[in-house]
Amino acid sequence: MPEHTGETRNEQLTRNVGELLQELRVAQAGVQILFGFLLSVVFTDRFHDASGFEKSLHLAAVVLAVAATALLTAPAAWHRLLFRTGSRERILTVGNRLVLVGLVCLALAITSTVALIAKVVYGQAAMIVMAALAVLIFGILWFVMPLRLNPTDDEQLDGDQPTGPPK
């Protein structure tokens, strides 16, 4: 059901692109901090003594952080490149998909990093527990809860406007 905000379609698209870019600023800060941490780890003496598995887990976390960075910054780059070309709707449609995949990559990068730290500090059992907890936390907070909060077509009366007290 379409939003009823009193905006023209162009105003709505402009607002939605602005909201998307603002959301990306929040996610990008986390990616940058994580990526910086992951890059610095390889220059420590302890990293050189890490097992092949630990080095592989670290590389997987780096690759996932790179993928998250690329996916989460793509909509902003597209907006700059396609500014005033009438492509806002396409940027929103494809950009939303990229952001969702980017968030999955970010969650997996953080999970891999937490698993690596748990493995080095406490061993394999702690790695498995911490990785499972991280996946569970991200899965529930980032994906399950928003889908459960999404009103059905019958419940949705006015776009993003609340229709009553939380259930």
Side-chain angles (χ1 to χ4, degrees):
M1 181 174 280
E3 291 184 49
H4 300 287
T5 60
E7 300 171 306
T8 66
R9 181 69 178 144
N10 189 48
E11 289 170 337
Q12 184 182 30
L13 289 171
T14 299
R15 178 179 54 83
N16 287 341
V17 167
E19 290 173 357
L20 175 65
L21 296 176
Q22 183 61 33
E23 292 164 2
L24 292 174
R25 287 183 189 100
V26 173
Q28 191 57 31
V31 174
Q32 290 171 336
I33 292 166
L34 175 64
F35 194 60
F37 166 76
L38 290 169
L39 291 178
S40 67
V41 166
V42 298
F43 297 106
T44 65
D45 291 335
R46 189 156 182 190
F47 183 79
H48 297 292
D49 297 332
S51 70
F53 174 77
E54 292 164 349
K55 288 179 180 178
S56 296
L57 189 56
H58 175 267
L59 182 59
V62 169
V63 169
L64 287 163
V66 168
T69 300
L71 291 161
L72 294 172
T73 56
W78 292 8
H79 182 257
R80 270 305 99 206
L81 290 168
L82 301 173
F83 185 64
R84 296 187 182 176
T85 63
S87 302
R88 283 190 183 110
E89 190 160 2
R90 190 75 179 133
I91 291 169
L92 281 169
T93 300
V94 178
N96 184 59
R97 291 180 190 133
L98 292 178
V99 169
L100 291 174
V101 174
L103 288 173
V104 170
C105 288
L106 176 57
L108 293 174
I110 293 170
T111 298
S112 299
T113 303
V114 168
L116 175 63
I117 292 167
K119 168 77 168 70
V120 169
V121 176
Y122 294 108
Q124 187 168 347
M127 175 193 73
I128 293 167
V129 169
M130 293 306 296
L133 283 174
V135 166
L136 191 64
I137 290 168
F138 283 116
I140 290 171
L141 292 176
W142 284 11
F143 301 103
V144 173
M145 285 183 71
L147 293 174
R148 301 245 1 223
L149 291 173
N150 188 22
T152 64
D153 288 340
D154 293 337
E155 294 173 338
Q156 189 173 16
L157 300 174
D158 194 23
D160 289 336
Q161 303 302 317
T163 59
K167 294 180 181 181

